[in-house]
Amino acid sequence: MGSKDSLIVTVLAILVFKDYLCESGLAATVTYDHRALVIDGQRRVLLSGSIHYPRSTPEVWPELIRKSKEGGLDVIETYIFWNYHEPVRGEYYFEGRFDLVRFVKVVQEAGLYVHLRIGPYACAEWNYGGFPTWLHFIPGVQFRTSNAIFKEEMKRFLAKIVTIMKEEKLFATQGGPIILAQVENEYGNVEWAYGVGGELYVKWAAETAVSLNTTVPWVMCQQEDAPDPIINTCNGFYCDEFTPNSPSKPKMWTENYSGWFLAFGNPIPFRPVEDLAFSVARFFETGGTFQNYYMYFGGTNFGRTAGGPLIASSYDYDAPIDEYGFIRQPKWGHLRDLHKAIKQCEGYLVNSDPTYERLGVNLEAHIYYKNTQECAAFLANIDKSLDANVTFNGNSYNLPAWSVSILPDCKNVIFNTAKVVSQRSLGDLSYAHPTTMRESLLGPSAWGWYKEKVGIWSDNSFTGSSLLEQINTTKDTSDYLWYTTSINVNEKLTPGQVKEAFLLIESLGHAALVFVNKRPVGFGYGNHEDASFTLSKKVTLNEGNNTLDMLSMIIGLQNYGPWFDIAGAGIFSVILSDLMNNTEDVSSREWTYQIGLEGEYLGLDTISLANSSLWTLGSDIPINQSLIWYKTTFIAPEGTGPLALNLSSMGKGQAWVNGQGIGRYWSAYLAPSAGCTENCDYRGSYDASKCLKNCGQPAQTLYHIPRTWVHSGDNLLVLHEELGGDPSKISVSTRIGQEVCAHVSESDPPPVDAWTPNLEVMSLNPEVRLSCEQGWKITSINFASFGTPEGQCGKFSQGICHGENVLSVVQQACIGQEGCSLPVSAANFGDPCPGVLKSLAIEALCSD
Ligand SMILES: *[C@@H]1O[C@H](CO)[C@@H](O)[C@H](O)[C@H]1NC(C)=O
Ligand SMILES: *[C@@H]1O[C@H](CO)[C@@H](O)[C@H](O)[C@H]1NC(C)=O
Ligand SMILES: *[C@@H]1O[C@H](CO)[C@@H](O)[C@H](O)[C@H]1NC(C)=O
Ligand SMILES: *[C@@H]1O[C@H](CO)[C@@H](O)[C@H](O)[C@H]1NC(C)=O
Ligand SMILES: *[C@@H]1O[C@H](CO)[C@@H](O)[C@H](O)[C@H]1NC(C)=O
Ligand SMILES: *[C@@H]1O[C@H](CO)[C@@H](O)[C@H](O)[C@H]1NC(C)=O
Ligand SMILES: *[C@@H]1O[C@H](CO)[C@@H](O)[C@H](O)[C@H]1NC(C)=O
Ligand SMILES: *[C@@H]1O[C@H](CO)[C@@H](O)[C@H](O)[C@H]1NC(C)=O
Ligand SMILES: CC(=O)N[C@H]1CO[C@H](CO)[C@@H](O)[C@@H]1O
């Protein structure tokens, strides 16, 4: 065994030992001091990532956690979703995707820690922020303030969760993985709106949390007035300027947005990894010791779990692991390198506060000393556009604009946030490339359909003499509420003559379909920022009795803002005017109401009705018609990976596979055509509207079907289409491979983990490292050039200088492997142009 091998063995032994400590259930004490969380007497630098258990299926939890661990995380953070754990007061549910104990144990088995954000307010773009709707209907309740009823219910749920965790021995002091717990959530953002009640509530929440004796520290995020001993933590795109409210508390960052959420009608937000890495490096540079990505894996808002208004079903979040569970590159890889670089400095970071040194305008160094001799340093250029050369410790360093370099020995740069050497993936969400995707079309012959009734469909309707608020009326048992009345035209009209009139409908949101005499006359809708809307339509009325039916729709209950829980929805005003401007307010006449759709009541989405005679069968399926239920069967494309349902030919509605709700869809709502920047400059402050793509397109056309929800043979697909679509064009696909690429220069830093203290970085070669998702292998090399290759990933071309035989060297090293690494060095390929700075560019195909 050579010395290199024995080094690897030592490293492995340490890793195994570390895992063993956590898995074996040895109790650990968790406290904190001014610098850091202290686990078993040791201050720790911790990297954390959010994964919300119900946004994926339990079968894939181990793989998501494995990818998180390989990405350099120590901690998994999750909210808890009260409304699904206690759907009816006193009746609890912890099964399937909501099996919280199983999730925490999966994390534990991987040897990672857990930060449990019990809340119970979650926000999280989750329906009603995680509050059960029944809570809203307890007379006298007021949410998130000093209200006796609310406090009693909140305390009961906090205690319930803590008790379950204790019984399962999941707190660190019991040998479990939970090292932190959170009470409330970003209350500091809204506290002003609750007056004195808010201040009292914060004190009460803190005392209540502490009284539950979890034996691990509690945090309150975005809560400047968090009472001792609760740690107040920072959420945001940057947290380097944050300081906790007491010198005895560590600087912690609980939500660093890896991207942003998606809403129907909006373009897709993304956050360049260079900026995300910059924000993280700046945080550790300026004294932080705990940082969490929100989200590390976002996943999917299945069924009706999405918050609102208008939150999409995809909760991809541009996270390092994409909605389908695939690694997103270069985000995942660049952050993994960053995490390794930060960990190389851990011993210094936990030892002291940083010492600041000004290096120039917008140029600064922060140095952490272990003793007067040994230090680690972060060099930052916070200028938005100017690159710079700086002198630090007698050496000269190049610092690109908006970047941080990490020097674990105050001398060698092992990582710079702006220099991405990680591999990239091409078309990570497209599912569209023939070599990497396998598709099944759903033939038109197998379809069945059911035409939903317009208006009142049963005798369990009821009447009222005004327009009712929708959430109070439906109690969120359905997205839908019918408002029905009749309009009588008294005038004598000649045969064939109609009366023209204007209908002016105002709604608090979120969308509504309007029918006159059972024919569709209009569709109105709001957007995520403002769900309210006005719909003005010219309509024609007949002599005598006319029916007006309005189907009002909710697209996720509000989850954020002061008093968000009492935000209303539904139609609040209907005015009819004739061409002479004689107006009649029909709002306060008698209305008949029907909650939900007939198809929902019948259970058309369930497997048990798959063969029911309710369905009309045949090949002449209705196309482009509103309020149609469709069903068909499909054979899942072969493979083991997740599936994507392409609903780009549909309008708006909901979809189910084998009875499981895969979410709301809305392909007909296009994002504004302007405002996107596909090649967004990462330099300068990021915000949620800075980097957008997909303008003029639907927010989402592909919908995630977990592999465990399908089986061999026929699978049932049911859709409820509200507006009109063409189901014959729907397809189901799965990914069977991926194109990956990398472009690394001789002047780029070597792989972070190749460096060890006392080694000169100069003595190491940078490397192109490629790897495939587990189960896939490199099957072809589409491009390889050493010299001066040009262009970007996916569009490489050879430059003037290029070596011979590079392709065959790369093929030799990579084909048939799950991954390969190639030093960017003339020693490896021969030198095609001495004296010229060279680089290595490779594009490869991974497949199953
Ligand atoms: C808190 O829990 C620990 C461990 O379960 C126990 O030893 C201790 O007595 C408890 N303290 C209180 C105040 O209940
Ligand atoms: C930094 O130094 C290098 C090498 O000396 C030089 O090529 C480059 O132009 C300098 N960059 C800046 C921003 O001054
Ligand atoms: C979805 O299907 C449409 C046809 O209805 C097709 O044009 C489009 O390329 C597909 N999208 C993806 C991402 O596969
Ligand atoms: C109009 O039709 C509705 C439903 O058919 C009925 O209940 C109502 O009495 C009718 N009104 C008039 C004025 O005929
Ligand atoms: C819902 O009903 C409650 C209790 O009747 C009432 O206080 C509240 O204002 C209603 N909410 C809306 C949005 O109308
Ligand atoms: C009705 O009102 C509209 C808008 O106020 C006005 O433009 C129109 O001329 C009016 N029509 C009549 C017949 O008065
Ligand atoms: C519906 O019919 C198909 C084909 O006959 C059968 O395979 C399937 O089990 C039936 N489903 C139900 C729920 O009865
Ligand atoms: C669908 O119907 C609407 C009106 O009902 C019409 O504007 C639209 O062009 C139709 N689309 C297709 C694809 O037929
Ligand atoms: C409490 C709260 O609002 N947290 C939110 C912060 O903003 C992100 C935006 O995506 C939400 O996901 C968090 O839930």
Side-chain angles (χ1 to χ4, degrees), residues 357 359 365 367 377 379 390-397 407 410-411:
E357 190 181 318
L359 302 175
I367 307 136
L379 309 186
V390 297
T391 304
F392 171 73
N393 228 1
N395 295 310
S396 164
Y397 299 91
L407 292 64
C410 271
K411 182 173 179 204

Side-chain angles (χ1 to χ4, degrees), residues 607-608 610-611:
I607 296 178
S608 56
N611 296 333

Side-chain angles (χ1 to χ4, degrees), residues 429-432 437 439 646-649 701-702 729-731 733:
L429 273 179
S430 78
Y431 276 82
M437 182 267 279
E439 188 181 55
N646 181 340
L647 295 178
S648 70
S649 65
T701 53
L702 295 180
K729 298 206 170 69
I730 296 174
S731 57
S733 59

Side-chain angles (χ1 to χ4, degrees), residues 426-441:
L426 292 173
D428 58 345
L429 273 179
S430 78
Y431 276 82
H433 199 284
T435 54
T436 55
M437 182 267 279
R438 188 178 289 141
E439 188 181 55
S440 330
L441 281 165

Side-chain angles (χ1 to χ4, degrees), residues 269-287:
F270 64 99
R271 186 176 189 187
V273 69
E274 294 90 340
D275 176 62
L276 182 55
F278 172 78
S279 71
V280 174
R282 282 290 283 167
F283 179 70
F284 286 98
E285 172 184 349
T286 54

Side-chain angles (χ1 to χ4, degrees), residues 182-197:
Q182 175 175 296
V183 62
E184 247 296 336
N185 185 35
E186 291 194 343
Y187 189 68
N189 291 354
V190 297
E191 188 173 337
W192 57 270
Y194 295 82
V196 178

